[in-house]
Amino acid sequence: MKRSLVMPGVSLGEPGSTVELDADSAHYLRDVLRLEAGAVLWLFDGRGKRAEIVLCSLAKRVALAEIRVVTEIERPSPSIELVQAVSKGDKMDLVVRQCTELGVSAILPVVSERSVAERRARVERWRSIAQDAVRVSGRAFEPEIHEPIELEAWLHRPRADLSLSFSGSETHGLRDLAIDRAAVRRIEVVVGPEGGFSERERDRLRAAGTRAVSLGAFTLRTETAGAVAVALLMYLAGRLGAPGEG
Ligand code: SAM
Protein backbone atom coordinates (compact mmCIF):
# COMPACT_ATOMS: atom_id res chain seq x y z
CA MET A 1 0.00 0.00 0.00
CA LYS A 2 1.30 3.47 -0.90
CA ARG A 3 1.98 5.87 1.98
CA SER A 4 -0.22 8.98 2.22
CA LEU A 5 0.76 12.55 2.93
CA VAL A 6 -1.63 15.47 3.49
CA MET A 7 -0.59 19.10 2.92
CA PRO A 8 -3.73 21.21 3.41
CA GLY A 9 -3.98 23.84 0.67
CA VAL A 10 -1.03 22.60 -1.45
CA SER A 11 -1.48 23.36 -5.14
CA LEU A 12 -1.41 20.14 -7.16
CA GLY A 13 -0.32 21.07 -10.69
CA GLU A 14 -0.26 19.15 -13.96
CA PRO A 15 1.27 15.69 -14.26
CA GLY A 16 5.02 16.11 -14.89
CA SER A 17 5.28 19.28 -12.77
CA THR A 18 7.11 19.37 -9.45
CA VAL A 19 5.73 20.15 -6.03
CA GLU A 20 7.74 21.35 -3.04
CA LEU A 21 6.90 19.60 0.22
CA ASP A 22 7.08 21.62 3.43
CA ALA A 23 9.56 21.11 6.30
CA ASP A 24 7.13 19.01 8.42
CA SER A 25 6.41 16.70 5.49
CA ALA A 26 10.11 16.38 4.61
CA HIS A 27 10.88 15.47 8.23
CA TYR A 28 8.03 12.93 8.34
CA LEU A 29 9.07 11.23 5.08
CA ARG A 30 12.78 11.20 5.85
CA ASP A 31 13.07 10.67 9.61
CA VAL A 32 9.83 8.87 10.47
CA LEU A 33 9.01 6.79 7.39
CA ARG A 34 12.69 6.58 6.31
CA LEU A 35 11.78 6.97 2.65
CA GLU A 36 14.32 7.82 -0.05
CA ALA A 37 14.24 9.45 -3.50
CA GLY A 38 12.25 7.27 -5.88
CA ALA A 39 9.52 6.41 -3.34
CA VAL A 40 5.98 6.70 -4.72
CA LEU A 41 3.17 8.01 -2.47
CA TRP A 42 -0.19 9.77 -2.39
CA LEU A 43 -0.34 13.51 -1.71
CA PHE A 44 -3.71 15.00 -0.62
CA ASP A 45 -4.52 18.73 -0.65
CA GLY A 46 -7.21 18.50 2.08
CA ARG A 47 -9.79 19.81 -0.42
CA GLY A 48 -10.55 16.61 -2.27
CA LYS A 49 -7.63 16.28 -4.71
CA ARG A 50 -5.17 13.42 -4.60
CA ALA A 51 -1.91 13.16 -6.57
CA GLU A 52 0.37 10.22 -7.07
CA ILE A 53 3.87 11.64 -6.56
CA VAL A 54 7.40 10.30 -6.81
CA LEU A 55 10.06 11.76 -4.50
CA CYS A 56 12.90 13.42 -6.44
CA SER A 57 14.97 14.74 -3.53
CA LEU A 58 14.64 14.60 0.22
CA ALA A 59 16.69 16.93 2.44
CA LYS A 60 16.27 17.79 6.10
CA ARG A 61 13.81 20.66 5.71
CA VAL A 62 12.62 20.39 2.14
CA ALA A 63 11.61 17.73 -0.33
CA LEU A 64 10.77 17.86 -4.03
CA ALA A 65 8.44 15.46 -5.78
CA GLU A 66 7.13 14.98 -9.30
CA ILE A 67 3.37 14.77 -9.81
CA ARG A 68 2.27 11.75 -11.84
CA VAL A 69 -1.55 11.66 -11.81
CA VAL A 70 -4.11 13.93 -10.13
CA THR A 71 -7.60 12.66 -9.24
CA GLU A 72 -10.66 14.27 -7.62
CA ILE A 73 -12.14 12.36 -4.71
CA GLU A 74 -15.86 12.19 -4.06
CA ARG A 75 -17.08 13.65 -0.78
CA PRO A 76 -18.10 10.85 1.57
CA SER A 77 -21.78 10.46 2.32
CA PRO A 78 -23.58 10.98 4.59
CA SER A 79 -21.69 14.01 5.84
CA ILE A 80 -21.65 14.44 9.61
CA GLU A 81 -21.59 17.96 11.09
CA LEU A 82 -20.96 18.72 14.74
CA VAL A 83 -22.97 21.53 16.32
CA GLN A 84 -21.08 22.10 19.57
CA ALA A 85 -22.03 24.51 22.35
CA VAL A 86 -18.80 26.44 22.94
CA SER A 87 -16.97 25.76 26.16
CA LYS A 88 -14.27 27.58 28.04
CA GLY A 89 -10.51 27.10 27.88
CA ASP A 90 -9.00 24.43 25.69
CA LYS A 91 -12.05 22.16 25.53
CA MET A 92 -12.99 23.25 22.02
CA ASP A 93 -9.42 22.53 20.88
CA LEU A 94 -9.87 18.91 21.87
CA VAL A 95 -13.31 18.71 20.27
CA VAL A 96 -11.97 20.13 17.01
CA ARG A 97 -8.97 17.81 16.93
CA GLN A 98 -10.84 14.62 17.77
CA CYS A 99 -13.86 15.22 15.57
CA THR A 100 -11.64 16.20 12.62
CA GLU A 101 -9.70 12.95 13.02
CA LEU A 102 -13.04 11.12 13.05
CA GLY A 103 -14.10 12.69 9.74
CA VAL A 104 -16.67 15.46 10.43
CA SER A 105 -17.38 17.70 7.45
CA ALA A 106 -18.05 20.81 9.55
CA ILE A 107 -17.97 22.13 13.09
CA LEU A 108 -20.48 24.83 14.03
CA PRO A 109 -19.79 26.38 17.46
CA VAL A 110 -23.02 27.68 19.04
CA VAL A 111 -23.45 29.92 22.06
CA SER A 112 -26.16 28.58 24.36
CA GLU A 113 -27.62 29.86 27.65
CA ARG A 114 -25.14 27.96 29.81
CA SER A 115 -22.09 28.31 27.56
CA VAL A 116 -19.18 29.46 29.70
CA ALA A 117 -17.20 30.68 26.75
CA GLU A 118 -14.65 33.38 26.36
CA ARG A 119 -16.15 35.91 23.99
CA ARG A 120 -12.86 36.16 22.10
CA ALA A 121 -13.40 33.99 19.05
CA ARG A 122 -10.68 31.42 18.59
CA VAL A 123 -11.77 30.38 15.12
CA GLU A 124 -8.33 30.85 13.53
CA ARG A 125 -6.78 28.67 16.21
CA TRP A 126 -9.47 25.97 15.69
CA ARG A 127 -8.88 26.07 11.92
CA SER A 128 -5.18 25.53 12.37
CA ILE A 129 -5.83 22.63 14.80
CA ALA A 130 -8.19 21.11 12.22
CA GLN A 131 -5.51 21.42 9.49
CA ASP A 132 -3.02 19.65 11.69
CA ALA A 133 -5.54 16.89 12.48
CA VAL A 134 -6.25 16.46 8.75
CA ARG A 135 -2.54 16.11 8.10
CA VAL A 136 -1.98 13.60 10.90
CA SER A 137 -5.08 11.51 10.20
CA GLY A 138 -4.62 11.34 6.42
CA ARG A 139 -8.07 12.74 5.57
CA ALA A 140 -8.76 13.95 2.05
CA PHE A 141 -11.00 16.85 3.17
CA GLU A 142 -10.55 19.63 5.69
CA PRO A 143 -13.70 20.29 7.76
CA GLU A 144 -15.25 23.74 7.62
CA ILE A 145 -14.86 25.49 10.98
CA HIS A 146 -17.57 28.14 11.26
CA GLU A 147 -17.69 31.34 13.28
CA PRO A 148 -19.72 30.86 16.51
CA ILE A 149 -23.40 31.87 16.35
CA GLU A 150 -26.23 31.95 18.93
CA LEU A 151 -28.06 28.62 19.29
CA GLU A 152 -31.32 30.44 18.53
CA ALA A 153 -29.94 31.60 15.15
CA TRP A 154 -28.86 28.05 14.32
CA LEU A 155 -32.35 26.74 15.15
CA HIS A 156 -33.78 28.89 12.37
CA ARG A 157 -31.63 27.21 9.71
CA PRO A 158 -32.95 24.34 7.59
CA ARG A 159 -32.44 20.96 9.29
CA ALA A 160 -30.23 18.20 7.90
CA ASP A 161 -31.78 14.89 6.78
CA LEU A 162 -31.11 13.56 10.25
CA SER A 163 -30.69 15.98 13.14
CA LEU A 164 -29.83 14.52 16.55
CA SER A 165 -29.47 16.47 19.78
CA PHE A 166 -27.64 14.60 22.52
CA SER A 167 -28.91 14.71 26.06
CA GLY A 168 -28.22 12.53 29.09
CA SER A 169 -31.81 12.79 30.28
CA GLU A 170 -33.25 11.03 27.21
CA THR A 171 -34.29 7.40 27.17
CA HIS A 172 -33.92 6.86 23.42
CA GLY A 173 -30.49 5.63 22.44
CA LEU A 174 -28.74 5.15 19.09
CA ARG A 175 -29.32 1.40 19.08
CA ASP A 176 -32.66 1.65 17.28
CA LEU A 177 -31.46 4.17 14.73
CA ALA A 178 -31.38 2.78 11.18
CA ILE A 179 -29.69 5.11 8.69
CA ASP A 180 -30.97 4.76 5.14
CA ARG A 181 -27.93 5.89 3.16
CA ALA A 182 -30.00 6.57 0.04
CA ALA A 183 -32.16 9.10 1.90
CA VAL A 184 -29.79 10.49 4.53
CA ARG A 185 -27.01 12.59 2.96
CA ARG A 186 -26.40 14.99 5.85
CA ILE A 187 -26.41 14.35 9.60
CA GLU A 188 -26.26 16.98 12.36
CA VAL A 189 -25.00 16.11 15.84
CA VAL A 190 -25.86 18.68 18.54
CA VAL A 191 -23.94 18.65 21.85
CA GLY A 192 -24.58 20.88 24.85
CA PRO A 193 -22.14 22.85 27.04
CA GLU A 194 -20.66 21.83 30.44
CA GLY A 195 -23.95 22.61 32.21
CA GLY A 196 -26.12 21.06 29.48
CA PHE A 197 -28.97 22.70 27.54
CA SER A 198 -31.67 24.42 29.59
CA GLU A 199 -35.22 23.02 29.66
CA ARG A 200 -36.28 25.83 27.32
CA GLU A 201 -33.46 25.08 24.87
CA ARG A 202 -34.34 21.38 24.86
CA ASP A 203 -37.92 22.31 23.95
CA ARG A 204 -36.68 24.66 21.25
CA LEU A 205 -34.37 21.97 19.82
CA ARG A 206 -37.30 19.52 19.62
CA ALA A 207 -39.61 22.11 18.07
CA ALA A 208 -36.96 22.93 15.47
CA GLY A 209 -36.89 19.32 14.28
CA THR A 210 -33.98 17.71 16.11
CA ARG A 211 -34.44 14.27 17.61
CA ALA A 212 -33.24 13.87 21.21
CA VAL A 213 -31.05 10.85 21.89
CA SER A 214 -28.95 9.54 24.74
CA LEU A 215 -25.43 8.10 24.78
CA GLY A 216 -26.18 5.96 27.83
CA ALA A 217 -26.65 6.31 31.55
CA PHE A 218 -23.35 8.00 32.36
CA THR A 219 -22.74 11.72 32.06
CA LEU A 220 -19.94 12.44 29.61
CA ARG A 221 -17.99 15.67 29.57
CA THR A 222 -19.03 17.97 26.76
CA GLU A 223 -15.65 17.46 25.02
CA THR A 224 -16.10 13.66 25.24
CA ALA A 225 -19.74 13.51 24.14
CA GLY A 226 -19.16 15.01 20.65
CA ALA A 227 -16.38 12.58 19.75
CA VAL A 228 -18.34 9.58 21.05
CA ALA A 229 -21.50 10.61 19.19
CA VAL A 230 -19.59 11.25 15.95
CA ALA A 231 -17.70 7.93 16.19
CA LEU A 232 -20.93 5.96 16.75
CA LEU A 233 -22.67 7.70 13.86
CA MET A 234 -19.71 7.12 11.54
CA TYR A 235 -20.09 3.43 12.35
CA LEU A 236 -23.89 3.39 11.97
CA ALA A 237 -23.64 5.28 8.67
CA GLY A 238 -21.04 2.87 7.27
CA ARG A 239 -18.45 5.63 7.10
CA LEU A 240 -15.38 3.83 8.38
CA GLY A 241 -13.43 4.15 5.12
CA ALA A 242 -9.92 3.57 3.84
CA PRO A 243 -7.16 6.16 4.50
CA GLY A 244 -7.63 9.38 2.60
CA GLU A 245 -11.29 8.80 1.76
CA GLY A 246 -12.94 11.14 4.22
N1 SAM B 1 -25.84 18.15 33.89
C1 SAM B 1 -25.79 18.35 32.48
C2 SAM B 1 -27.14 17.96 31.86
O1 SAM B 1 -27.94 17.40 32.58
O2 SAM B 1 -27.38 18.19 30.68
C3 SAM B 1 -24.65 17.56 31.90
C4 SAM B 1 -24.11 18.15 30.66
S1 SAM B 1 -22.87 17.18 29.87
C5 SAM B 1 -21.49 17.45 30.88
C6 SAM B 1 -22.55 18.14 28.44
C7 SAM B 1 -23.25 17.67 27.18
O3 SAM B 1 -22.71 16.42 26.76
C8 SAM B 1 -24.75 17.46 27.28
O4 SAM B 1 -25.46 18.65 27.10
C9 SAM B 1 -25.01 16.47 26.16
O5 SAM B 1 -25.15 17.11 24.93
C10 SAM B 1 -23.74 15.64 26.17
N2 SAM B 1 -23.84 14.40 26.97
C11 SAM B 1 -23.14 14.05 28.07
N3 SAM B 1 -23.48 12.83 28.50
C12 SAM B 1 -24.44 12.39 27.66
C13 SAM B 1 -25.21 11.19 27.57
N4 SAM B 1 -25.07 10.21 28.44
N5 SAM B 1 -26.09 11.08 26.55
C14 SAM B 1 -26.25 12.07 25.65
N6 SAM B 1 -25.58 13.22 25.70
C15 SAM B 1 -24.67 13.38 26.68
Side-chain angles (χ1 to χ4, degrees), residues 114 166-169 190-197 202 213-222 225:
R114 297 180 186 158
F166 284 86
S167 163
S169 44
V190 187
V191 174
E194 290 95 332
F197 288 121
R202 284 207 287 266
V213 273
S214 161
L215 288 169
F218 305 133
T219 301
L220 307 177
R221 284 173 179 258
T222 180

Side-chain angles (χ1 to χ4, degrees), residues 92-185:
M92 277 299 282
D93 294 3
L94 188 62
V95 170
V96 169
R97 178 170 296 284
Q98 291 181 331
C99 291
T100 300
E101 288 172 11
L102 288 165
V104 288
S105 61
I107 297 177
L108 292 96
V110 289
V111 179
S112 64
E113 282 175 27
R114 297 180 186 158
S115 283
V116 192
E118 294 160 50
R119 299 305 297 182
R120 192 165 47 94
R122 293 184 168 206
V123 180
E124 281 318 314
R125 176 180 167 79
W126 298 333
R127 285 182 184 146
S128 117
I129 290 172
Q131 284 203 341
D132 189 56
V134 164
R135 179 197 291 275
V136 171
S137 62
R139 285 188 58 182
F141 292 94
E142 251 180 80
E144 251 185 277
I145 311 291
H146 294 262
E147 296 282 341
I149 57 166
E150 296 291 326
L151 175 68
E152 193 56 37
W154 178 80
L155 290 170
H156 285 94
R157 293 188 174 177
R159 290 287 67 82
D161 305 317
L162 180 62
S163 186
L164 302 171
S165 76
F166 284 86
S167 163
S169 44
E170 287 306 317
T171 48
H172 299 289
L174 286 175
R175 192 177 302 176
D176 306 323
L177 191 75
I179 299 176
D180 173 1
R181 293 185 65 181
V184 176
R185 316 287 296 174

Side-chain angles (χ1 to χ4, degrees), residues 10 20 24 42 79 83 90 113 115 118 123 133 148 177 195 209 229 239 243:
V10 67
E20 193 177 310
D24 284 351
W42 296 122
S79 64
V83 180
D90 295 341
E113 282 175 27
S115 283
E118 294 160 50
V123 180
L177 191 75
R239 278 269 326 262

Side-chain angles (χ1 to χ4, degrees), residues 14-15 17 20-21 32 34 57 72-73 141 164 171 180 185 192 212 214 239 245:
E14 293 296 309
S17 62
E20 193 177 310
L21 308 181
V32 182
R34 311 241 168 231
S57 62
E72 295 270 353
I73 298 162
F141 292 94
L164 302 171
T171 48
D180 173 1
R185 316 287 296 174
S214 161
R239 278 269 326 262
E245 282 181 357

